[in-house]
Amino acid sequence: MTGVFTRVDDRLGEFALRTLDPDADAALLHTWVTHPKASFWLMQDADEAAVAEEYRRIAAHPHHDAYLGLWRGEPTFLAERYDPAYVELVGLYDHQPGDVGMHFLCAPVDAPVHGFTRAVLTTVMAWLFADPATVRVVVEPDVRNTAVHALNAAVGFEVVGPIAKPEKDALLSVCTRAQFHAAVTDLEGARA
């Protein structure tokens, strides 16, 4: 599998992303996306074959990619990157050149690590902005997912407003490179 990005968090160590293998990673992903804490992922009733099929579909799509996230070398999160002009948000918002859509999901754990989810989101955002073509990141989490709204705000996302998608009512939010860097700098300054 191809490694695509690595970031070292000052507190938690190394995070990395590699290309997801829909078949080899299906059993692991199935345990994540069907867990009760992943209810907003909308795959609660999927079996392993359906999970593999969904990620084969994403892998074959020219405007949607999925990546397995590693922490200290172990799989711990999932990240998706998509072009919102072709996937998820077509006709639902004012698309701008350089927009990149993103989803992320942390694996369920018995003993949560303080700051882990924020470190994952920071890693995913740093990876997306490592591409000079990315001007801003666009997200559309469920309006009820208040935990992710708070995390998004912490890394610089600004709420645009609610939008109606076929599968959910979503809260459209955007984050520019400058907003992300300012938020991360503020966070690192607060830790010092």
Side-chain angles (χ1 to χ4, degrees), residues 55-70:
Y55 284 94
R56 279 194 295 271
R57 184 190 65 74
I58 289 171
H61 198 288
H63 302 289
H64 197 171
D65 304 295
Y67 300 86
L68 194 67
L70 311 172

Side-chain angles (χ1 to χ4, degrees), residues 126 129-130 155-156 175-188:
F129 282 123
V155 298
C175 183
T176 65
R177 183 183 307 273
Q179 288 169 313
F180 171 65
H181 287 300
V184 171
T185 300
D186 287 348
L187 177 63
E188 289 169 353

Side-chain angles (χ1 to χ4, degrees), residues 7 39 52 68 83 93 104-105 130 139-140 150 173 175-178 186:
R7 174 184 164 269
S39 62
L68 194 67
D83 184 338
Y93 86 113
F104 80 99
L105 175 70
V139 293
E140 30 67 42
S173 300
C175 183
T176 65
R177 183 183 307 273
D186 287 348

Side-chain angles (χ1 to χ4, degrees), residues 125-145:
M125 295 292 286
W127 161 61
L128 294 171
F129 282 123
D131 180 348
T134 301
V135 175
R136 64 182 189 168
V137 178
V138 180
V139 293
E140 30 67 42
D142 192 294
V143 294
R144 299 167 296 165
N145 193 346

